[in-house]
Amino acid sequence: MRATDAEIVRALPLFGGMQDAHFEALIGAGYLQRFPQGVVLIHEGERPDFLHVLVQGSVEFFSESADRATTLSLLKPPSAFILAAVVLDQLYLKSARTVEPSVVVLIPAQAVRDVFDKDPAFARAVVAELAFRYRNLVKDLKNQRLRTSLERLANWIIAHDEQMGRTGSFKLPIEKKVLANLLGMRPENLSRNLAELARVGVHVRGSIIDIRDIEALKAFARPDPLIDDPAV
Amino acid sequence: MRATDAEIVRALPLFGGMQDAHFEALIGAGYLQRFPQGVVLIHEGERPDFLHVLVQGSVEFFSESADRATTLSLLKPPSAFILAAVVLDQLYLKSARTVEPSVVVLIPAQAVRDVFDKDPAFARAVVAELAFRYRNLVKDLKNQRLRTSLERLANWIIAHDEQMGRTGSFKLPIEKKVLANLLGMRPENLSRNLAELARVGVHVRGSIIDIRDIEALKAFARPDPLIDDPAV
DNA sequence: CGTGCCATTGACCATTATCAAACGACGTGG
DNA sequence: CCACGTCGTTTGATAATGGTCAATGGCACG
């Protein structure tokens, strides 16, 4: 593994506070892999062998059951994933695949559990990470239960515009197909929903989104910090 | 607080492994309260002052946004709740109300965070608890995304029958209204869905559910351990 | 024995999925 | 350089799913 990759991992909040010796133990036991686009990294139902750290690229979490499939979330680097399954040593509940060529650091699950038992700072960081992800999941469930697909889309557009600096205009960072699945709808429905949002001033040309009346959009979307604000 | 209530708390996995002195610190700082049915114990958007431990009764977690409301889960004693908000010291994302007269132990959030920093066994237990709840939430989201309301109901009936010992017959443990909200549907829809399940051998008289053909029910419901099995 | 609240039922509407077809961007190979 | 195939996207028609509103019946509790 190159030193810069180890540094990326070390810089994550999850690994930042731990003792050097413990970090060396983790990173020494781990290794780095490069994957092309579309590779399934983990399969739901299997047992976790490694804690994964996404260093470059991006990963989509999805799940399939009884002939249906859904995207649960997208992950951007740098970020660790499947921590809950690793610490409990229980089956994966989601599958993960790369949506672009990606670089992943793999750390043996047993090494993670060993260091977790020895390093209080790491244990605290694991708690913070799990609690943070727990809360994101609560927000996802609320988003799904309390809103129509049109409202989820409208709020996603508002949130993404804020992330991009409130310019009122941005390019979709992912394919519409992937966005549709992420928002819990079919691509056909996303297409119609995007057209529908013209009524509140959202205009679409290809993958360019223009918000021409943010107030009208917000009046329709009714964003809620307890669902949409990543810092809450 | 009565000694027996403290013992109930102490017996929880979350508190079981910690040092006596630390448990005394927590329980000494805490106090016990009794609530009638229908009291809102916590309001989403507020800051957590206490870790709650449900000792008796039952609690419903719900959320409201933009004129809509949904039930996110039900909690049975003994069980701690709102742990994620407490350890991160961030706003509640859900509200909670009693659905029957309940007994709750309240432990000041700061005391929890103090002991968490000092007691590795407690820290490990917090991780296990958070990871467990995280996984339950993933299952909830999959259940919601991958199934229709009729399928969620069918699988709930199968799961509840298993919990009750696979007798093929049980009494609903909660009002249909509450069950409907828990399963993410309206009471009218639950009514129709229950009638619909007669086609696969489920018969309903008042709050009594009879499964007359478990195989037919399972063939329709297609239960998935990665969604329905509480031990996975 | 009222008075509410829960549950059911009917009619209707909103939302979303499904199926099908057509279009368009993009990359490959001739 | 262009023809072609692939895949993502859009659009249309239709069906499934679930919500809303309203009326009614039933049951518990005062």
Side-chain angles (χ1 to χ4, degrees):
Chain A
M1 191 181 312
R2 295 178 313 182
T4 64
D5 293 315
E7 279 162 23
I8 291 172
V9 177
R10 180 59 152 154
L12 285 173
L14 183 60
F15 299 100
M18 69 195 312
Q19 295 176 31
D20 285 329
H22 294 152
F23 181 73
E24 294 304 325
L26 287 181
I27 209 77
Y31 56 96
L32 180 142
Q33 277 202 328
R34 295 169 186 283
F35 297 96
Q37 178 178 17
V39 173
V40 177
L41 302 177
I42 64 182
H43 296 263
E44 54 189 325
E46 296 185 352
R47 195 163 290 282
D49 294 323
F50 298 96
L51 177 65
H52 289 55
V53 183
L54 178 65
V55 168
Q56 228 180 80
S58 72
V59 169
E60 174 187 9
F61 294 92
F62 65 100
S63 182
E64 298 169 296
S65 183
D67 298 333
R68 264 165 274 183
T70 187
T71 297
L72 296 164
S73 59
L74 287 182
L75 193 74
K76 288 289 169 186
S79 205
F81 59 97
I82 53 157
L83 184 56
V86 166
V87 299
L88 290 184
D89 194 19
Q90 287 188 330
L91 307 184
Y92 296 133
L93 296 178
K94 329 175 196 177
S95 303
R97 78 177 140 233
T98 56
V99 292
E100 25 178 333
S102 298
V103 178
V104 178
V105 171
L106 302 166
I107 301 172
Q110 192 54 54
V112 173
R113 289 190 289 266
D114 289 345
V115 171
F116 173 77
D117 283 336
K118 288 187 294 193
D119 194 312
F122 182 53
R124 276 195 291 278
V126 169
V127 166
E129 176 85 10
L130 283 175
F132 174 75
R133 293 200 189 275
Y134 176 87
R135 289 170 62 86
N136 276 333
L137 217 37
V138 172
K139 293 177 201 169
D140 287 344
L141 189 59
K142 287 169 64 172
N143 197 27
Q144 187 72 33
R145 282 268 185 103
L146 293 168
R147 288 174 172 162
T148 67
S149 67
L150 185 58
E151 290 167 335
R152 292 197 295 277
L153 173 60
N155 280 294
W156 182 89
I157 289 173
I158 293 169
H160 194 259
D161 179 55
E162 303 210 339
Q163 269 188 308
M164 296 287 102
R166 289 181 209 251
T167 61
S169 180
F170 60 86
K171 185 172 178 306
L172 289 177
I174 50 181
E175 285 182 350
K176 285 181 183 171
K177 186 179 142 180
V178 176
L179 178 60
N181 281 316
L182 181 62
L183 293 173
M185 65 185 95
R186 304 273 123 207
E188 297 96 321
N189 196 10
L190 174 61
S191 220
R192 293 183 173 107
N193 280 339
L194 280 171
E196 182 75 15
L197 285 181
R199 304 199 311 106
V200 289
V202 175
H203 292 258
V204 183
R205 277 191 342 278
S207 64
I208 304 293
I209 308 290
D210 279 301
I211 304 169
R212 303 210 182 142
D213 185 347
I214 184 69
E215 290 312 319
L217 178 57
K218 285 191 176 173
F220 168 75
R222 302 178 70 173
D224 180 337
L226 298 181
I227 299 178
D228 306 296
D229 193 335
V232 168
Chain B
M1 193 181 310
R2 294 178 313 182
T4 64
D5 292 316
E7 279 162 23
I8 291 172
V9 176
R10 180 60 151 153
L12 285 173
L14 183 60
F15 299 101
M18 68 196 310
Q19 294 176 31
D20 284 331
H22 293 152
F23 182 72
E24 295 303 326
L26 288 182
I27 208 78
Y31 56 97
L32 181 143
Q33 277 202 330
R34 295 168 185 282
F35 297 96
Q37 179 178 17
V39 173
V40 177
L41 302 176
I42 63 181
H43 297 263
E44 53 189 325
E46 295 185 352
R47 194 163 290 282
D49 295 323
F50 298 96
L51 177 66
H52 290 54
V53 182
L54 179 64
V55 169
Q56 226 180 81
S58 72
V59 169
E60 175 187 7
F61 293 93
F62 65 100
S63 181
E64 298 170 297
S65 182
D67 297 332
R68 264 165 275 183
T70 187
T71 297
L72 297 165
S73 59
L74 286 181
L75 193 74
K76 288 288 171 187
S79 206
F81 58 98
I82 53 159
L83 184 55
V86 166
V87 299
L88 291 184
D89 193 18
Q90 286 187 331
L91 307 184
Y92 297 132
L93 295 178
K94 328 174 195 177
S95 302
R97 77 177 141 234
T98 57
V99 291
E100 24 179 333
S102 298
V103 178
V104 178
V105 172
L106 302 165
I107 301 172
Q110 192 53 55
V112 173
R113 290 190 289 266
D114 290 345
V115 171
F116 173 77
D117 284 336
K118 287 186 296 193
D119 193 313
F122 182 54
R124 277 195 292 277
V126 169
V127 166
E129 175 86 10
L130 284 175
F132 173 75
R133 293 200 187 276
Y134 176 86
R135 289 170 63 85
N136 276 332
L137 216 37
V138 172
K139 293 178 201 167
D140 287 344
L141 189 58
K142 287 169 64 171
N143 197 26
Q144 186 73 32
R145 282 266 185 104
L146 293 168
R147 289 175 172 162
T148 67
S149 67
L150 184 58
E151 291 167 335
R152 292 196 296 277
L153 173 60
N155 280 294
W156 182 89
I157 289 173
I158 292 169
H160 191 72
D161 179 55
E162 302 210 339
Q163 268 188 311
M164 297 286 102
R166 291 180 208 252
T167 61
S169 180
F170 60 85
K171 185 172 177 308
L172 289 177
I174 50 181
E175 285 182 351
K176 286 183 182 168
K177 186 179 142 182
V178 176
L179 178 60
N181 281 315
L182 180 62
L183 292 174
M185 66 185 94
R186 302 277 126 195
E188 297 94 322
N189 197 8
L190 174 61
S191 225
R192 293 183 173 107
N193 280 338
L194 280 170
E196 183 75 15
L197 285 181
R199 304 199 311 106
V200 289
V202 175
H203 292 257
V204 183
R205 277 189 344 276
S207 64
I208 304 293
I209 308 290
D210 279 300
I211 304 170
R212 303 209 181 143
D213 185 348
I214 184 70
E215 290 312 320
L217 178 57
K218 284 191 177 174
F220 169 74
R222 305 177 69 172
D224 179 338
L226 297 181
I227 299 178
D228 305 296
D229 194 333
V232 170

